[in-house]
Amino acid sequence: MSDAEHIALLRHLREDRWFAHRHLFAHRHPDESPPAHKELVEAINRPIPRLSIEGFRGVAKTTYTEETALIKAAFLEFHNLVIIGPSFPRAADRVDAIANESAVNPNFSKDGPWGDLRGEIWQAGRIVLASGICIQALGRDQAITGLKFRQWRPDAFLIDDIEDPEEKRTDAEREETWRWLKQTFQPS
């Protein structure tokens, strides 16, 4: 690919995120996508400071948000992404899925549009890409105060299924999570 073609591809990937998902992650979406997937990608990529996406199980919310995290990381759109799940292991699973995709997907290898993204730290719950972008996991109700990576406080968050439907939680426990979201997470 010539330099001009490379620049044109990067521009197209940046400007048309639906194209980016279809091009970069075609192997994850072998079937034709319903219109809801395009709407989901468009919503995730809107410049909105707080966005809540609700949908039925299996609509691919987690899949597309993982892919979006990797695309945004490749384009240096954040420094320190924190993925929050119902527990640290569940959030770490999201980080692992992103790490795996960046390691096995040829679009993120040395021959891909950005070169090899794999960086210096590659562990459960935290990866650091070659660009210095950090993606890390945090469990629901864990302390967020003082959380940093190098000089960067979290500047992007992804909360995924913070209430696990398979968990048996009391109203008081759910209220405690709500308090954590409103009194600890949002102010930070």
Side-chain angles (χ1 to χ4, degrees), residues 163-174:
E163 288 287 343
D164 186 341
E166 296 171 12
E167 266 184 302
K168 302 238 187 278
R169 299 186 75 217
T170 66
D171 288 343
E173 289 169 326
R174 284 190 292 279

Side-chain angles (χ1 to χ4, degrees), residues 8-120:
L9 174 61
L10 285 172
R11 184 175 295 121
H12 194 189
L13 292 168
R14 180 186 292 277
E15 293 172 359
D16 185 345
R17 295 298 167 96
W18 179 238
F19 167 77
H21 282 271
R22 288 189 341 233
H23 177 78
L24 299 170
F25 304 103
H27 62 285
R28 294 181 84 178
H29 309 287
D31 299 325
E32 185 175 341
S33 291
H37 286 175
K38 184 175 183 185
E39 292 169 16
L40 178 62
V41 167
E42 289 171 353
I44 293 168
N45 285 283
R46 283 191 195 114
I48 300 171
R50 292 187 181 123
L51 174 67
S52 176
I53 296 175
E54 297 180 30
F56 60 86
R57 285 232 172 264
V59 77
K61 298 176 303 292
T62 298
T63 298
Y64 280 107
T65 54
E66 288 170 355
E67 293 171 6
T68 297
L70 190 52
I71 292 169
K72 287 179 174 280
F75 279 120
L76 308 176
E77 294 179 8
F78 59 81
H79 295 98
N80 185 2
L81 168 66
V82 176
I83 298 175
I84 301 172
S87 65
F88 176 80
R90 290 286 297 275
D93 287 346
R94 303 287 62 79
V95 174
D96 180 63
I98 293 166
N100 182 65
E101 192 62 32
S102 68
V104 302
N105 185 328
N107 290 302
F108 301 102
S109 71
K110 64 179 171 57
D111 297 326
W114 297 276
D116 190 359
L117 292 185
R118 191 175 174 115
E120 65 202 62

Side-chain angles (χ1 to χ4, degrees), residues 156-187:
F157 288 93
L158 169 58
I159 299 176
D160 186 42
D161 290 335
I162 198 164
E163 288 287 343
D164 186 341
E166 296 171 12
E167 266 184 302
K168 302 238 187 278
R169 299 186 75 217
T170 66
D171 288 343
E173 289 169 326
R174 284 190 292 279
E175 180 62 32
E176 183 59 33
T177 297
W178 181 249
R179 242 188 324 277
W180 176 84
L181 276 168
K182 299 307 268 179
Q183 295 174 0
T184 303
F185 174 73
Q186 279 186 338

